[in-house]
Amino acid sequence: MSGQRARLGVLVSGSGSNLQALLDASGQEGFPAEVACVVSNVPTAFALERARKAGVPAVVVDHKAYASKADFEKALLEALRAAGVEWVCLAGFMRLLSADFLAHYTGRVLNIHPSLLPAFPGLHAQRQALERGVKVAGCTVHFVDAGTDTGPIIAQAAVPVLPDDDEKSLSARILTEEHRLYPLAVRLAVSGKVTLDGTRTRVDAQATVGELSLRSPGAPR
Ligand code: GRF
């Protein structure tokens, strides 16, 4: 990979295990992006510790400290701009971003969601999957639009739902795949191998053979 690495701003609210996956990927030779800053809207988020440990600037922009969503997003934008962020990755970030905010990073905001979208958008996706009795669950990385988990899909990974699964066991199985999928999707997006095309994404088929739909470990190939 030649040239400069894309500067990622990772927005978090909680544990930050997906942030960790991106930090780990950033440390790998040839990965075309680096985490330039981490922004949390939750002051106590463990993700902030992960950032500090990795030596990445971490800031808190607490939505509760702002009178309006517009003011909160203005502060978010300022933090991202100050760090020279080019791409925004939502990683367990529990606030919806407005169209106005997204317009500053058109086609450069990604999210990971723990379901095979468009099934089970929103909160408690794993619980929704269990309640519906699906036999295959998974995760999705998508470009972000102003809807809830509705943006164009970049990549998906599937896992089986086992008969004795509960929310915790299913979430853990999905999370393992999330940690593989998010760095892969970021790599393809920032290097222009997957691009926005209306409600879908356009894929450089040669560059992505077999990568955009990962199968669960152990599934027959
Ligand atoms: C993940 O399941 C992600 O898909 C969802 O929120 C969770 C965040 O986990 N959006 P973590 O903070 O990355 O550990």
Side-chain angles (χ1 to χ4, degrees):
M1 198 66 57
S2 62
Q4 290 219 316
R5 303 207 293 165
R7 293 176 67 77
L8 307 179
V10 184
L11 305 190
V12 296
S13 301
S15 152
S17 67
N18 279 291
L19 163 67
Q20 190 66 56
L22 294 174
L23 288 166
D24 293 347
S26 297
Q28 282 163 18
E29 177 87 24
F31 192 72
E34 63 184 322
V35 180
C37 84
V38 172
V39 185
S40 175
N41 68 310
V42 176
T44 55
F46 183 65
L48 291 164
E49 291 303 315
R50 296 182 190 268
R52 288 182 192 123
K53 203 167 166 201
V56 169
V59 291
V60 173
V61 180
D62 185 349
H63 60 283
K64 291 183 185 152
Y66 297 90
S68 67
K69 179 166 173 150
D71 287 349
F72 166 62
E73 291 189 339
K74 191 163 167 255
L76 262 185
L77 266 181
E78 277 163 15
L80 295 173
R81 282 195 178 135
V85 164
E86 298 161 309
W87 288 76
V88 178
C89 295
L90 311 186
F93 183 64
M94 302 302 284
R95 311 300 300 173
L96 280 180
L97 295 170
S98 71
D100 280 350
F101 176 94
L102 294 170
H104 293 274
Y105 283 98
T106 303
R108 287 180 290 135
V109 185
L110 275 52
N111 181 44
I112 187 154
H113 182 75
S115 79
L116 294 174
L117 291 170
F120 315 130
L123 293 175
H124 308 301
Q126 303 93 333
R127 192 188 304 169
Q128 294 183 55
L130 287 169
E131 282 169 2
R132 287 302 298 265
V134 297
K135 303 303 175 204
V136 179
C139 52
T140 303
V141 179
H142 62 94
F143 286 109
V144 174
D145 63 16
T148 301
D149 305 316
T150 49
I153 290 170
I154 297 171
Q156 296 186 303
V159 302
V161 180
L162 303 180
D164 55 358
D165 265 336
D166 57 18
E167 205 176 335
K168 194 172 165 205
S169 62
L170 179 59
S171 299
R173 192 174 308 119
I174 293 172
L175 206 51
T176 301
E177 296 306 302
E178 293 185 39
H179 300 158
R180 291 202 300 147
L181 196 70
Y182 212 176
L184 163 70
V186 167
R187 176 165 62 77
L188 295 172
V190 305
S191 55
K193 309 288 189 214
V194 177
T195 49
L196 265 180
D197 186 14
T199 58
R200 302 185 38 164
T201 52
R202 183 185 293 272
V203 170
D204 176 341
Q206 279 202 320
T208 58
V209 178
E211 284 189 309
L212 293 179
S213 51
L214 301 183
R215 295 188 189 203
S216 59
R221 298 260 155 193

